[in-house]
Amino acid sequence: MKATQCGRAIKVFLTEQDGVTAIEYALLGALIFFVIVAAVTLAGTDLSTLFATVAGLIP
């Protein structure tokens, strides 16, 4: 690839917005993933405590 072709390719890459949109969606997806993981982890801990309490009440 010649230097002028490389320069044009870099210019096109920097002016394109598709990559920025993809990164934004990836970050949003990661944020949603971590929120779901945190919610499931907290709910799992609470459910485990609840089941242990109920199991302790059963003779």
Side-chain angles (χ1 to χ4, degrees):
M1 182 180 276
K2 293 182 181 178
T4 56
Q5 290 174 332
C6 186
R8 279 189 221 133
I10 291 172
K11 185 177 179 181
V12 168
F13 176 76
L14 292 175
T15 58
E16 291 277 330
Q17 293 295 317
D18 294 338
V20 174
T21 303
I23 291 171
E24 289 171 350
Y25 280 123
L27 290 173
L28 186 60
L31 177 64
I32 291 170
F33 170 77
F34 286 120
V35 168
I36 290 171
V37 167
V40 168
T41 301
L42 291 174
T45 303
D46 291 342
L47 285 176
S48 177
T49 304
L50 176 65
F51 287 143
T53 303
V54 170
L57 295 175
I58 297 175

